[in-house]
Amino acid sequence: MNRDAQHSEQLISLYGGTTPVRSRWSYRADEPFTVATAFQTDADHWVEWVFARDLLVEGMRGPVGEGDVRLAPEFSGPRDALVMEIESPDGHALLVMDLEAVQDFLDATADLVPLGAEGDFFDVDALIAEITNV
């Protein structure tokens, strides 16, 4: 098991279905339960969101999410898409991404840490040490 393994991809998202937005998707084997995505808002400014990989997996099949991140597949346009709605006290965004590109990213994460095997890669002792500063 390579706990240092990581995978990153850049995807082009569409904000409101019309404006292209560059996004950076990352997954690390030493943080096996989460994915991180960052959206470029200015030339040198990115807004990052971290959420459960399981949420992304479920969002590929149907609508999910009750909090700040909500996902749903969309099969009615010219290309299958994943719609991501993110919300914070600072604002709200609706982003549309190519479903196949997101699936490719998920497949790459599963190559690093198979779905359902996250516990084998999670270092509980390191988390406790980080929380307690021991």
Side-chain angles (χ1 to χ4, degrees), residues 9 11 56-57 60-61 82 98-110 115:
E9 287 188 24
L11 302 176
L56 185 58
V57 170
M60 298 292 284
R61 295 187 294 249
L82 179 68
D98 180 72
L99 193 73
E100 186 176 336
V102 177
Q103 185 62 57
D104 290 346
F105 170 76
L106 265 177
D107 291 345
T109 73
L115 295 171

Side-chain angles (χ1 to χ4, degrees), residues 17-71:
T18 57
T19 306
V21 176
R22 193 163 57 157
S23 62
R24 189 174 51 215
W25 291 73
S26 302
Y27 180 79
R28 296 172 39 153
D30 63 347
E31 295 179 7
F33 292 102
T34 61
V35 295
T37 183
F39 299 96
Q40 189 172 26
T41 58
D42 292 319
D44 62 346
H45 188 254
W46 293 78
V47 177
E48 185 174 77
W49 292 82
V50 177
F51 55 95
R53 178 171 69 160
D54 284 350
L55 185 71
L56 185 58
V57 170
E58 292 173 27
M60 298 292 284
R61 295 187 294 249
V64 295
E66 296 178 8
D68 297 341
V69 177
R70 293 178 293 283
L71 304 165

Side-chain angles (χ1 to χ4, degrees), residues 3 29-30 32-33 118-129:
R3 295 183 191 279
D30 63 347
F33 292 102
E118 294 88 353
D120 296 339
F121 289 75
F122 188 67
D123 188 347
V124 174
D125 294 332
L127 177 63
I128 292 170

